Amino acid sequence: MNLFSKLVNDVSRLWANYASAYLGGMWSTLKLAVVATVIGVLIGLVCGILNTIPCGKNDSLPRRVLLGLIRFVVRAYVEIFRGTPMVLQAVFIYYGLPYFSNNTLRFDDIWAAAILIVSINTGAYMAESVRGGIISVDPGQTEGAKAIGMTHVQTMVNVILPQAFRNIIPQIGNNFIINIKDTSVMFIIGFTEFFAFHRYITGVNNMYFPSATIEMIGYLTMTLVASFLLRWLEKRLDGSDNYELVSDDQLVMAAGTYSYPDRGSPFDERHKPSREAVIQEVKFGRNRGER
Amino acid sequence: MADTILEIRHLSKSFGSHEVLKDIDFTVSKGDVTAIIGASGSGKSTLLRCVNLLETPTSGEILFHGKDVTGRGVNAPEYRSHVGMVFQSFNLFNNMTVLENCIVGQVKVLKRSKAEARETALRYLQYVGMAPFINARPRQISGGQKQRVAIARALAMGPEVLLFDEPTSALDPEMVGEVLAVMQHLAGEGMTMLVVTHEMAFARDVSTQVVYMNQGVICEQGPPADVLENPQRQETRDFLARFRKN
Ligand SMILES: Nc1ncnc2c1ncn2[C@@H]1O[C@H](COP(=O)(O)OP(=O)(O)O)[C@@H](O)[C@H]1O
Ligand SMILES: [Mg+2]
């Protein structure tokens, strides 16, 4: 108990002295994670779409060669960036590019470098998720869209991708949370995010454990808020659980000047008796029992 | 023959070495209601999908108002917007409401204004009795209701021909009637329709022409009174007899 109250005491002292540093670090971490996740998801979408362009035996040779090449490049990208640690990728990109290009390729802005590295990492992970998300949409959806005359692009944009996007929100959430935590390795290129301040502050006063406690609470707060927001987004995209029945009067108002030529059609909900009659007639035939 | 809409000539379709359709010939004129009947696996769906270019025919021609639509330079999406299709599994867009389902094609494909598309969609939703459900999502309505929305979605595109692939086969029995009733009403208004169906009462009472398919060929075709009541071919008689027993 004594130890615990000492910890609480130290934490509050640290916080009193360095709150703005910690908060600034959290802000940098969040900004980097949000921007890199968004860009990463976009990269993943592009790769996933490129990977699912239909390609059959009937297509022309140049088209098949081109699509094969695209798939190979995407595959290589995914395997390389998924298969190596982000710390090393950061080293190679931030220090390696200038070194091997005689300083013609270098980063003047540490933010640009950090965003680039985290984005292409996220993209590599998302590419596979997006591909899976697209494939798991019922093929009937594509047929329905084609049957009303939509082109491949229109079908993708209006029907398939919105559903695929809904399918992959959990993975986007995962990647976002991983990014909040894993951006801490960006210290290797001198990017000062939340964890970097832990290193600076403990370097001054040696209060490792209290500072780590603040870091823990900080990271957990960020990830919990992220989870919550993603749940909310999922719910919103699903639409409400119930719907309002709309009466005819409301429809007239909503449709402006619209008047109903078909008001008397037998399928009007208000013409139940006549509809029943037609239904019976069709279902059982006009002269039932004759068959 | 000014009012011929579709002419299918020597249409064949193979999947690999499996020849599913063999030398299919028939004509659809304006106002025709053609019922396509036949055992499962006889190629009825493939025929309909070829007519809509969802499958590419292996050989033969499909003439739409006299123009072949199977060639390379044909704008398939444009053609499909004139030929509506209603599927056994509805295929409503799950990411949209009932109303949006009926609007999206008009806006994206026909480039109608939002307001005009909304009006047209409401008119046809009213027609099939689904207007009160415009804010519902496909997962929230019954199969019969979904199929009626699918019909409204197809009608909103102003098609010249409507293709139905077993529109009532996936429905609970008590919902079959409401969909058939809509189709019968459409037929009564002169809509040109091609209907793959196992509903013999519908074929007999509503269609103007019956096509009986057997193993990828048209075995017999003609007015319903001839094909259904007085079939000439033994295969047709056997099929109908099997059907009556069930
Ligand atoms: N995409 C496909 N690939 C291979 N075979 C297919 C394909 N679609 C249909 N078939 C085959 O074509 C035949 C006819 O199928 P279908 O047109 O669905 O028959 P029906 O609708 O009359 O039941 C079946 O033997 C089926 O296995
Ligand atoms: Mg079928």
Side-chain angles (χ1 to χ4, degrees), chain B residues 39-46 49 88 165-166 196 198:
Chain B
S40 170
S42 55
K44 308 180 297 295
S45 296
T46 308
R49 293 165 58 81
Q88 181 176 346
D165 190 0
E166 301 197 28
V196 173
H198 293 300

Side-chain angles (χ1 to χ4, degrees), chain B residues 8-24:
Chain B
I8 316 293
R9 284 199 195 148
H10 305 298
L11 181 76
S12 296
K13 171 71 185 175
S14 303
F15 292 106
S17 61
H18 183 186
E19 198 172 20
V20 175
L21 295 177
K22 296 162 209 161
D23 204 22
I24 301 284

Side-chain angles (χ1 to χ4, degrees), chain A residues 105-131:
Chain A
L105 281 176
R106 65 194 166 88
F107 294 95
D108 295 321
D109 182 5
I110 187 79
W111 272 94
I115 289 173
L116 178 81
I117 292 159
V118 183
S119 307
I120 51 181
N121 243 281
T122 311
Y125 279 97
M126 286 310 300
E128 281 298 296
S129 303
V130 172
R131 199 178 76 94

